[in-house]
Coordinates of all heavy atoms in Angstrom, one line a residue:
M1 N 114.2 33.8 -107.6 CA 112.9 33.5 -107.1 C 111.9 33.8 -108.2 O 111.6 34.9 -108.5 CB 112.6 34.3 -105.9 CG 111.3 34.4 -105.5 SD 111.0 35.3 -103.9 CE 112.2 36.5 -103.7
P2 N 111.5 32.7 -109.0 CA 110.5 32.9 -110.1 C 109.2 33.4 -109.6 O 108.6 32.8 -108.7 CB 110.5 31.6 -110.8 CG 111.6 30.8 -110.2 CD 111.9 31.4 -108.9
F3 N 108.6 34.3 -110.2 CA 107.2 34.7 -109.9 C 106.2 34.3 -111.0 O 105.1 34.6 -110.9 CB 107.1 36.2 -109.8 CG 107.5 36.7 -108.3 CD1 108.8 37.0 -108.0 CD2 106.5 36.8 -107.3 CE1 109.1 37.3 -106.7 CE2 106.8 37.1 -106.1 CZ 108.1 37.4 -105.7
L4 N 106.7 33.7 -112.0 CA 105.9 33.1 -113.1 C 106.4 31.7 -113.4 O 107.6 31.4 -113.5 CB 106.1 34.0 -114.4 CG 105.1 33.7 -115.5 CD1 103.7 33.8 -115.2 CD2 105.5 34.6 -116.7
A5 N 105.4 30.8 -113.5 CA 105.8 29.4 -113.7 C 104.8 28.7 -114.7 O 103.8 29.4 -115.1 CB 105.8 28.6 -112.4
P14 N 102.4 32.5 -108.2 CA 102.3 31.6 -107.1 C 100.9 31.6 -106.4 O 100.5 30.6 -105.9 CB 103.3 32.2 -106.1 CG 104.4 32.8 -107.0 CD 103.6 33.3 -108.2
V17 N 98.3 28.8 -107.8 CA 98.5 27.3 -107.5 C 98.5 27.0 -106.0 O 98.8 27.9 -105.2 CB 99.8 26.8 -108.2 CG1 99.7 26.8 -109.7 CG2 101.0 27.6 -107.7
K19 N 100.0 25.0 -102.6 CA 101.3 24.6 -102.1 C 101.8 23.3 -102.5 O 103.0 23.0 -102.6 CB 101.4 24.9 -100.5 CG 101.5 26.4 -100.2 CD 101.5 26.5 -98.7 CE 102.9 27.0 -98.3 NZ 103.0 27.3 -96.9
V20 N 100.8 22.4 -102.7 CA 101.1 21.0 -103.0 C 101.4 20.8 -104.5 O 102.0 19.8 -104.9 CB 100.0 20.0 -102.6 CG1 99.9 20.0 -101.1 CG2 98.7 20.3 -103.3
D21 N 101.1 21.8 -105.3 CA 101.4 21.8 -106.8 C 102.8 21.9 -107.0 O 103.6 22.5 -106.2 CB 100.6 22.8 -107.5 CG 99.1 22.6 -107.5 OD1 98.7 21.5 -107.4 OD2 98.4 23.7 -107.5
L22 N 103.3 21.3 -108.1 CA 104.7 21.5 -108.5 C 104.8 22.1 -109.9 O 105.0 21.5 -110.9 CB 105.4 20.1 -108.5 CG 105.5 19.4 -107.1 CD1 106.0 18.0 -107.2 CD2 106.4 20.2 -106.2
P23 N 104.7 23.4 -109.9 CA 104.8 24.1 -111.2 C 106.3 24.0 -111.7 O 107.1 23.5 -111.0 CB 104.5 25.5 -111.0 CG 104.7 25.7 -109.5 CD 104.5 24.4 -108.9
E24 N 106.4 24.3 -113.0 CA 107.8 24.2 -113.6 C 108.3 25.6 -114.0 O 107.5 26.5 -114.4 CB 107.7 23.4 -114.9 CG 107.3 22.0 -114.7 CD 107.0 21.3 -116.1 OE1 107.2 21.9 -117.1 OE2 106.7 20.1 -116.0
C25 N 109.6 25.8 -113.9 CA 110.2 27.0 -114.3 C 110.0 27.2 -115.9 O 110.3 26.2 -116.6 CB 111.7 26.9 -114.0 SG 112.6 28.4 -114.6
C28 N 113.9 26.9 -117.5 CA 114.7 25.7 -117.6 C 113.9 24.4 -117.4 O 114.4 23.3 -117.7 CB 115.8 25.8 -116.5 SG 115.1 25.6 -114.8
D30 N 112.8 23.1 -114.7 CA 112.9 22.4 -113.4 C 111.6 22.6 -112.6 O 110.9 23.6 -112.7 CB 114.1 23.0 -112.6 CG 115.4 22.5 -113.1 OD1 115.4 21.6 -114.0 OD2 116.5 23.0 -112.7
Q31 N 111.4 21.6 -111.7 CA 110.2 21.8 -110.8 C 110.4 22.8 -109.7 O 111.5 23.0 -109.2 CB 109.9 20.4 -110.1 CG 109.2 19.5 -110.9 CD 108.6 18.3 -110.1 OE1 109.2 17.9 -109.1 NE2 107.6 17.7 -110.6
L32 N 109.3 23.5 -109.4 CA 109.3 24.6 -108.4 C 108.4 24.1 -107.2 O 107.5 23.3 -107.5 CB 108.8 25.9 -108.9 CG 109.6 26.4 -110.1 CD1 108.9 27.6 -110.8 CD2 111.0 26.9 -109.7
K33 N 108.6 24.8 -106.1 CA 107.7 24.6 -104.9 C 107.2 26.0 -104.6 O 107.8 27.0 -105.0 CB 108.4 24.0 -103.7 CG 108.8 22.6 -103.9 CD 109.3 22.0 -102.6 CE 109.7 20.6 -102.8 NZ 110.3 20.0 -101.5
I34 N 106.1 26.0 -103.8 CA 105.4 27.3 -103.5 C 105.7 27.5 -102.0 O 105.5 26.7 -101.1 CB 104.0 27.3 -103.7 CG1 103.7 27.0 -105.2 CG2 103.3 28.6 -103.2 CD1 104.2 28.0 -106.1
R35 N 106.2 28.7 -101.6 CA 106.4 29.2 -100.3 C 105.4 30.2 -100.0 O 105.2 31.2 -100.7 CB 107.8 29.7 -100.1 CG 108.1 30.1 -98.6 CD 109.6 30.4 -98.4 NE 110.3 29.1 -98.5 CZ 111.5 28.9 -99.1 NH1 112.0 29.9 -99.8 NH2 112.1 27.7 -99.1
G36 N 104.6 30.1 -98.9 CA 103.5 31.0 -98.5 C 104.1 32.4 -98.2 O 105.3 32.5 -97.8
H38 N 105.0 35.5 -95.8 CA 105.3 35.5 -94.3 C 106.1 36.8 -94.0 O 106.4 37.6 -95.0 CB 106.3 34.3 -94.0 CG 107.5 34.2 -94.9 ND1 107.5 33.6 -96.1 CD2 108.7 34.5 -94.5 CE1 108.7 33.7 -96.6 NE2 109.5 34.2 -95.7
R40 N 109.7 38.4 -92.5 CA 111.1 38.1 -92.2 C 111.8 39.3 -91.7 O 111.9 40.3 -92.4 CB 111.9 37.6 -93.4 CG 113.3 37.2 -93.1 CD 114.1 36.8 -94.4 NE 113.5 35.9 -95.3 CZ 113.5 36.1 -96.6 NH1 114.1 37.1 -97.1 NH2 112.8 35.2 -97.4
V45 N 107.2 39.3 -96.9 CA 107.8 38.5 -98.0 C 106.6 37.8 -98.7 O 105.8 37.1 -98.1 CB 108.8 37.4 -97.5 CG1 109.3 36.5 -98.7 CG2 109.9 38.0 -96.7
A46 N 106.4 38.2 -100.0 CA 105.3 37.7 -100.8 C 105.4 36.2 -101.1 O 106.4 35.6 -101.0 CB 105.3 38.4 -102.1
R47 N 104.2 35.6 -101.2 CA 104.1 34.2 -101.7 C 104.9 34.1 -102.9 O 104.8 34.9 -103.8 CB 102.7 33.8 -101.9 CG 102.5 32.4 -102.3 CD 100.9 32.2 -102.6 NE 100.6 30.8 -103.0 CZ 100.1 29.9 -102.2 NH1 99.8 30.1 -101.0 NH2 99.9 28.7 -102.7
H48 N 105.8 33.0 -103.0 CA 106.6 33.0 -104.2 C 107.0 31.5 -104.4 O 106.8 30.7 -103.6 CB 107.9 33.8 -104.1 CG 108.7 33.4 -102.9 ND1 108.4 33.9 -101.6 CD2 109.8 32.6 -102.8 CE1 109.4 33.4 -100.8 NE2 110.2 32.6 -101.5
S49 N 107.6 31.2 -105.5 CA 108.1 29.9 -105.9 C 109.6 29.8 -105.7 O 110.3 30.9 -105.7 CB 107.6 29.4 -107.3 OG 108.1 30.4 -108.2
Y50 N 110.1 28.6 -105.5 CA 111.5 28.4 -105.5 C 111.8 27.0 -106.0 O 110.9 26.2 -106.2 CB 112.0 28.5 -104.0 CG 111.4 27.5 -103.1 CD1 112.1 26.3 -102.7 CD2 110.2 27.7 -102.5 CE1 111.6 25.3 -101.8 CE2 109.6 26.7 -101.6 CZ 110.4 25.6 -101.3 OH 109.9 24.7 -100.4
Y51 N 113.1 26.8 -106.3 CA 113.4 25.5 -107.0 C 113.4 24.3 -106.0 O 113.8 24.4 -104.9 CB 114.8 25.6 -107.6 CG 114.8 26.5 -108.8 CD1 115.0 27.8 -108.7 CD2 114.5 26.0 -110.0 CE1 115.0 28.7 -109.8 CE2 114.4 26.8 -111.2 CZ 114.7 28.2 -111.0 OH 114.6 28.9 -112.1
A52 N 112.7 23.2 -106.4 CA 112.5 22.1 -105.6 C 113.8 21.3 -105.3 O 113.9 20.7 -104.3 CB 111.4 21.2 -106.2
A53 N 114.7 21.3 -106.3 CA 115.9 20.6 -106.1 C 116.7 21.2 -104.9 O 116.7 22.4 -104.7 CB 116.7 20.7 -107.4
E54 N 117.5 20.4 -104.2 CA 118.3 20.8 -103.1 C 119.5 21.6 -103.6 O 119.9 22.5 -103.0 CB 118.7 19.6 -102.3 CG 117.6 18.8 -101.6 CD 117.0 19.7 -100.5 OE1 117.6 20.4 -99.8 OE2 115.7 19.6 -100.5
E55 N 120.0 21.2 -104.7 CA 121.3 21.9 -105.2 C 120.8 23.3 -105.9 O 119.7 23.5 -106.3 CB 122.0 21.1 -106.2 CG 121.3 20.8 -107.5 CD 120.4 19.5 -107.4 OE1 120.3 18.9 -106.4 OE2 119.8 19.2 -108.4
T57 N 120.7 26.3 -108.5 CA 120.6 26.4 -109.9 C 121.1 27.7 -110.4 O 121.1 28.7 -109.7 CB 119.1 26.2 -110.4 OG1 119.0 26.4 -111.8 CG2 118.2 27.3 -109.8
S61 N 116.0 32.7 -113.5 CA 114.7 33.1 -114.0 C 114.0 34.2 -113.2 O 113.6 33.9 -112.2 CB 113.7 31.9 -114.2 OG 113.5 31.3 -112.9

Side-chain angles (χ1 to χ4, degrees):
M1 164 172 31
F3 276 89
L4 185 62
V17 292
K19 287 179 111 176
V20 295
D21 294 331
L22 294 172
E24 299 172 0
C25 174
C28 68
D30 286 352
Q31 281 193 330
L32 302 170
K33 289 184 178 180
I34 303 298
R35 182 169 290 136
H38 59 278
R40 183 186 313 133
V45 178
R47 181 181 179 102
H48 61 278
S49 54
Y50 63 98
Y51 289 91
E54 295 295 321
E55 64 273 0
T57 179
S61 64

